[in-house]
Amino acid sequence: MGDLDRCRRRPRTPQRRAPWREFLTAQADGIIACDFLPLGLVDLCRVYALVFLEHGTRRPHIAGLPAHPTTQWTVRQARNLAVDPGVRLESLRFLVRGRDG
């Protein structure tokens, strides 16, 4: 057997990484998540709700219901949320967003 075959057979030592659930639990007060939720209306039109969720308090913020959201509109809604006096952003450090679209 060559050196390459011996290297392949060595078991890897597992690296200790905090699971996603542990990260969310430990950092809950500093996380806000955002995503679009598709909604079907009675007249068969589809709109998308932009929702921000504070993980620490589980408080949702619905930013709007556009039929065709754009990047500029989404950024403007995030900025509007940041200047809203009812939202505490000083302790938020992480933004979790869906990247499925």
Side-chain angles (χ1 to χ4, degrees):
M1 284 190 180
D3 291 333
L4 189 58
D5 290 331
R6 275 192 300 248
C7 289
R8 288 185 187 153
R9 292 187 180 157
R10 284 188 199 158
R12 291 184 135 194
T13 57
Q15 295 178 354
R16 173 68 174 119
R17 289 181 43 190
W20 184 243
R21 180 178 290 255
E22 286 181 22
F23 171 78
L24 289 177
T25 302
Q27 303 294 331
D29 289 336
I31 296 175
I32 190 165
C34 70
D35 206 354
F36 283 100
L37 302 176
L39 303 171
L41 301 179
V42 176
D43 61 355
L44 301 179
C45 291
R46 181 172 292 256
V47 295
Y48 299 90
L50 177 59
V51 179
F52 292 90
L53 177 70
E54 294 180 50
H55 275 255
T57 60
R58 305 263 189 225
R59 182 177 174 201
H61 302 275
I62 300 174
L65 299 166
H68 304 287
T70 63
T71 303
Q72 293 84 10
W73 181 86
T74 305
V75 170
R76 186 171 43 242
Q77 297 308 312
R79 287 181 181 155
N80 290 345
L81 180 70
V83 297
D84 184 9
V87 180
R88 51 159 195 83
L89 291 180
E90 58 275 349
S91 65
L92 298 175
R93 295 179 304 192
F94 301 102
L95 171 66
V96 179
R97 63 187 175 105
R99 297 185 61 114
D100 54 344

